[in-house]
Amino acid sequence: MTEGVTTLSAVAPKARPILGRDDWIMRWGLLVLGVWLSVAVVLPLYTLLSKSLEDHGGRFIGLANFAEFFATPVLFHSIYNSLTIAIISTAITITLAFIYAYALTRSCMPGKAIFKGIAMVPILAPSLLPAISLVYLFGNQGMIKGVLMGETIYGPIGIVMGEVFWTFPHALIIIITALSMADARLYEVAESLGTSKLRTFFTVTLPGARYGVISACFVVFTLVITDFGVPKVIGGQYNVLATDVYKQVIGQQNFQMGAVVGMVLLVPAVLAFIADRIIQRKQVALISARAVPYHPKPKTRFDMAMMGFCCVVGFMILGIIAVDAFASFIQLWPYNLTLTLYNYDFDLRDGGGWASYRNSIVMASYTAVIGTVIIFAGAYLVEKIRGFTVIRSLVQFMCIIPLAVPGLVLGLAYIFFFNHPANPLEFVYGTMAILVICTVTHFYTVSHLTATTALKQMDPEFEAVSMSLKVPFYKTFWRVTVPVCVPAILDISIYLFVNAMTTVSAVVFIYSADTTLASVAVLNMDDAGEVASAAAMGMMIVVTSAGVRALHALLTRGIARTSQAWRVR
Amino acid sequence: MRVREYCQKSALFVAAAAVGLFALGLGGGAALAKTQLLVYTAIEADELAMFKREFEKDYPDVNIKWVRDSTGIVTAKLLAEKNNPKADIVWGLAATSLVMLANEGYFQGYAPKGVEKLDPAYVDSQNNPPLWVGQRAWIASVCFNTVEGKKKGLPVPSTWQDLTKPVYKGHVVMPNPNSSGTGFLDVSSWLQIWGEEKGWAFMDGLHKNIAWYTHSGSKPCKQAASGEIPIGISFAYRGAKSKNKGAPLEIVAPTEGLGWDIEAFGIVRNTKNLAAARNLADWSVTLKANKIYNKEYAVVAMPGVAKPVKNFPKDITKKMIKNDFAWAAANRMRILKKWQTRYGAKSLPKKK
Amino acid sequence: MVTQETPAGSGDQRTRYLKIENITKKFGEFVALQDISLDIYKGEFICFLGPSGCGKTTLLRAIAGLDIQTRGRIEQDGKDISNLPAAERNFGIVFQSYALFPNLTVSKNVGYGLVNQRMGKAAIGERVAELLDLVGLGDQGSKYPAQLSGGEQQRVALARALATSPGLLLLDEPLSALDAKVRVFLRQEIKSLHRRLGVTTIMVTHDQEEALTMADRIVVMNQGTIEQVGTPIEIYRNPMSPFVGNFVGTMNFLSGVVTGAASVRLGAMEFDCANGVGGLTEGQAVTVCLRPEEIAVRGVASGGANSFEVRISGLEFLGSFYRATLQAARLGDMEIIADFSINEVRDMTLDEGATIQIALPGEYIRIFAED
């Protein structure tokens, strides 16, 4: 029996897929996320842009503000200063971080875990803290001011030192990852060919890690150029773009010019961001082949040298923190060195007192919980939705934008957007909610990428299986996706919590009398000359972040133990 | 299986906690029965707690919420919110700023009960009822660290002009008038003492000696107190306070005259808590309030109340210049802009 | 395009279960499936066979509703499902990656779809036990997937897919991730499971051996179209295109020219073809196809039909047989691959360099017009 069918495809009916309940829920979910991100990222940035093109009265004046900016040598000079600081800091940070990372990955020195832990300490502190410590160390009454040989710490030297401390762990994490991806076989080949150690370093090690190093450069560069905590405290009269935004907006409430500086600040951040994206795309291709992990062999002299280096760097990091802690207990440096808790009586000082510390804890907790829920669920939707391609790519793009937006710029944009009387969301202005929204948004992208990576590691067919078994996707999300991704979820929440504790740049524009924050209190107390109390509040932040991190480590270990039956590989 | 339950339970808990906490955080404030009075102020934080305590003792139904920052910041914030004011009352802000804000139509007139007992110079004379009422005056002073001064061989300055001498190069800090009310009253007083041309010339000279400009008006004195800098141009109250705490300071009142300003209040035009705002206004002109003002400040609005304050420079009141608030308010923007252009960026601190 | 199908078995007891009509699937500009039409009958075991990128998985996913086609209709059990979302279709699916939920035990995995069917706990437990027994994992229910071998995991996946008694079982390269031995074993397991349950099954594979051993009918696909549908024997014996011939089994492709109603010329020689030349006209350039094992060597007399002299230029031992590369002056550059049994090689002392007589049996010669 033979059946022959001849048809022209034009005749066949076009499929008009009926959307199932899952599809509807996911699409609505994605739309909600899209609206959220529009409100939290896109619209504020748009408002910022339009503000920079308006005069004080709100009339459109084109690029006149920009013309004024570039015609004001004082402001224009800040660009030069910012770039100088960023380039020098990046060079120093990357060099130190590379050697440190090299020691951690390629030597057999003892105490690697401890050194790695020490290197992460700066992440727990707001960027204001190292600057305060540097004042105590190298200021005019500094403990070891002689080291500077008459140079003043107030200015580029202090800014660079503070930035290096603060950005060090960020660079280190990236470079460690890059160096850990090395393929042992390449080293075996090099050795079998009798290649010298130095040549191996330049022909195998550096090229292998180059994308990581470049990526780290961009990260550090962006962090430095957009940070204002360090230059604010120790910059003296050395103006940089970040402090200009602050001065224009907070000091003079010149929002239009603030918006202009914000837009200018956006340029290097966006450029670095785009360059990094391009490079990372290349890196993916590089590591797709499965490599054999490299295991260093003990070499006493090399290991000792590496350990010596790490000791010096580690000592400096801990020293900065220790100085801050010490200063916070001193009655009146340098005239009255009795130990006291007086500086911890925050209620007597500017910045909101102990309430600001409590606010910070509350804000960080909201940010961690709400942020994790939104970001993880959002990443899931973006990753798993079927069809809906235009909206999906749009939302995906919006998830990435925050990485390129400096905190100052975001905070500024929030004032314009949320404090507009015509905005129906105006009621969140001045509340805890806007701080949470802002902080979640500020740190959205890194968390989103963490979630995406975790989701990509899962079998892509779980959802197909669920559909075939008529189980709604959200049940599988809850029963399978979430439990499997618990480590990533914890990582995201801790990342959000610690950053919410330490961030200053975005929230400094939008906190209110009821929602003062610890990190902002550090800034305000320093501004008011209460440096010891600023140091004390800084310590409260460090201790809290460290405590939460320790809790996270315990929790992660606990989960690893209870889930080891199935979490193998 | 236990793992799964564990994960689910904890996740459920977390989610529930999130929703609960968020709702609490958003709605919590509204649940309280007391009137929340939003007060914008530039008074130092260490005094605010006392004011709040004493006022709320007399008016238990009102709960003060402070928004505190430097004078310049509060002023700028108020200006920024001009179309959509948030504050109920501006209280303890420089009269210069209040006059300027009043010109923008920020305030509603109100004559607090007992206002007639105040020195008329402290009450808005342009409007009736007055748009603003003064509380007390704060006066410029120079904080000189005797220990550091001796170490560096610096003589104690006795005039403003002394501060332009080369010997003080890099040893003086002053507040940035753009952010600090103290900084502005300094600049404004110099311009009023010597006239514009000579005033700016003096500042050019001073600028050469300035190590850095600070954000707040109290920081120069605090930095002088800690020896971070030998000389800080600040105000008398801050200097006296630090000296009382044991800092090796001498509070200098330069002989040419001292800039000063009045801390004053005005009720915002669109306040939703008018009754509570008026309560604070009434309270602020009482004898009790004036006595509290006098705890830290030597010059208050109610005549005959002021007693000398410990460690205040002697005869400081006699050195106060004749301050023209109307002129200062009208020219504030112009002066600040000019100052910013001239001294806004001290790009690199000079080597010593 | 013409597709021809010859269903398994004879008689007309067959009920059509799945009717695929003119399915086209585009991904942007790329056409993954082009106007595919196919009927699948109840209880059949169908294999979609083809090289990677031929569209076989795309077709499977269209049937499942996971990636709905751009154009065309699909009918399952008399019901139009063309536009239904996957969750509203009736199928179970097994993937190459197993897609087992790692944090759930084997029992929970198998019972995953049952929980949603409002079955009692006891009933679920019973059904899960029954399914685990069915796939021979009766005692492994409390383990986690990661504690099982690959083959065991795939059997769990199979049990899970069958748990809800779907009308259609879809297998997407289910054996590709497994070791060769396990693969052969599981092949038989799946086949016997199919025999027992009689569930209509579609399996996607790129492995011709799998398709030949397991399928009732094979659908050979290439570049988004169906090349041929037929029983394994039909596909092997009567490939309808050079592609099918080449993809399933090994095939000699020789360039020739039609010289008559039943004859072609290869090089300088003329050959009879018993099956004719399929209506091709004289002088038409054609590809002449012949499987290596169809080349006769024993008892070929010089001057016999379709016989000629060749030299063995290469001889490769492949375990159960030898594969020889043959050259002949009169064939020009063309080489012929021939499989000789061990007996033939021994008996006839075939060796590299030897010159022998072979025949290309006319009944096996297939002729396709050259493009």
Side-chain angles (χ1 to χ4, degrees), chain C residues 315-324 339-346:
Chain C
L315 193 64
E316 203 181 356
F317 177 57
L318 289 176
S320 52
F321 64 93
Y322 283 88
R323 176 154 291 175
D339 290 349
F340 299 139
S341 73
I342 305 235
N343 285 339
E344 284 166 346
V345 171
R346 191 184 50 222

Side-chain angles (χ1 to χ4, degrees), chain A residues 7 13 18 386 459 470 479, chain C residues 22 35 66 72 83 89 97:
Chain A
T7 352
I18 299 165
R386 288 149 18 87
D459 195 308
K470 315 272 183 289
R479 281 189 68 187
Chain C
N22 311 106
D35 206 21
L66 296 171
N83 296 317
R89 300 189 185 193
S97 61

Side-chain angles (χ1 to χ4, degrees), chain A residues 120-194:
Chain A
M120 292 301 128
V121 167
I123 282 188
L124 309 175
S127 63
L128 300 151
L129 187 139
I132 290 171
S133 292
L134 289 172
V135 169
Y136 277 104
L137 282 169
F138 304 108
N140 295 335
Q141 294 297 330
M143 303 170 189
I144 49 169
K145 62 178 277 204
V147 175
L148 290 186
M149 293 181 294
E151 294 292 332
T152 176
I153 191 75
Y154 295 103
I157 298 176
I159 303 178
V160 167
M161 287 170 84
E163 297 292 5
V164 168
F165 170 89
W166 184 61
T167 55
F168 181 74
H170 296 271
L172 186 70
I173 293 170
I174 299 170
I175 299 178
I176 285 180
T177 313
L179 284 173
S180 323
M181 284 185 310
D183 191 340
R185 288 173 302 196
L186 289 177
Y187 287 89
E188 285 160 14
V189 169
E191 201 169 27
S192 69
L193 293 173

Side-chain angles (χ1 to χ4, degrees), chain A residues 140-141 154 237-238 250-251 253 255 334-335 342 348 350 366 369-370 419 426 513-514 526-528 530 562, chain B residues 3 18 21 45 65-66 68 73 76 80 84 86 145 148 178 212-213 216 219 222 226-228 245 346-347 349:
Chain A
N140 295 335
Q141 294 297 330
Y154 295 103
Q237 300 309 120
Y238 192 82
I250 295 292
Q253 306 271 316
F255 291 99
Y335 302 112
Y342 169 76
L348 291 182
D350 278 342
Y366 283 153
V369 174
I370 296 169
N419 194 30
E426 198 252 359
D514 296 334
D526 178 76
D527 258 348
E530 299 277 5
T562 45
Chain B
V3 178
L21 280 174
K65 287 269 173 208
W66 301 114
R68 193 215 102 76
I73 311 284
N84 190 23
K86 299 261 184 291
N145 186 311
E148 298 305 315
N178 277 292
W212 57 77
Y213 295 99
S216 85
K219 190 166 185 176
K222 284 180 185 163
S226 68
E228 193 60 30
K245 260 190 229 166
K346 197 157 186 173
S347 50

Side-chain angles (χ1 to χ4, degrees), chain B residues 221 225 237-251 310-311:
Chain B
C221 200
Y237 154 66
R238 180 44 64 197
K241 186 123 181 165
S242 295
K243 192 170 180 180
N244 294 345
K245 260 190 229 166
L249 284 184
E250 182 162 342
I251 319 296
K310 193 183 163 199
N311 279 324

Side-chain angles (χ1 to χ4, degrees), chain A residues 42-203:
Chain A
V42 181
L43 293 177
L45 286 178
Y46 172 76
T47 320
L48 176 76
L49 173 68
S50 58
K51 203 81 178 175
S52 71
L53 304 175
E54 287 174 2
D55 67 3
H56 288 270
R59 280 178 300 273
F60 180 81
I61 50 164
L63 294 172
N65 287 327
F66 286 87
E68 191 188 336
F69 172 83
F70 287 105
T72 314
V74 171
L75 293 175
F76 187 61
H77 196 69
S78 300
I79 297 181
Y80 174 79
N81 286 353
S82 276
L83 288 175
T84 311
I85 292 291
I87 290 167
I88 298 173
S89 306
T90 306
I92 298 176
T93 305
I94 296 299
T95 310
L96 293 178
F98 187 88
I99 303 175
Y100 204 95
Y102 197 78
L104 289 177
T105 53
R106 300 297 172 82
S107 82
C108 286
M109 66 173 188
K112 278 191 198 172
I114 295 168
F115 281 118
K116 195 171 175 188
I118 291 172
M120 292 301 128
V121 167
I123 282 188
L124 309 175
S127 63
L128 300 151
L129 187 139
I132 290 171
S133 292
L134 289 172
V135 169
Y136 277 104
L137 282 169
F138 304 108
N140 295 335
Q141 294 297 330
M143 303 170 189
I144 49 169
K145 62 178 277 204
V147 175
L148 290 186
M149 293 181 294
E151 294 292 332
T152 176
I153 191 75
Y154 295 103
I157 298 176
I159 303 178
V160 167
M161 287 170 84
E163 297 292 5
V164 168
F165 170 89
W166 184 61
T167 55
F168 181 74
H170 296 271
L172 186 70
I173 293 170
I174 299 170
I175 299 178
I176 285 180
T177 313
L179 284 173
S180 323
M181 284 185 310
D183 191 340
R185 288 173 302 196
L186 289 177
Y187 287 89
E188 285 160 14
V189 169
E191 201 169 27
S192 69
L193 293 173
T195 318
S196 76
K197 289 274 174 282
L198 196 68
R199 186 145 178 260
T200 309
F201 179 83
F202 282 107
T203 53

Side-chain angles (χ1 to χ4, degrees), chain B residues 47 50 74 145 155 159 166 173 213 236 276 295 305 316 322:
Chain B
E47 271 192 295
M50 180 178 59
V74 175
N145 186 311
T159 67
V173 295
Y213 295 99
K295 276 189 184 161
V305 172
I316 189 167
K322 191 183 168 306

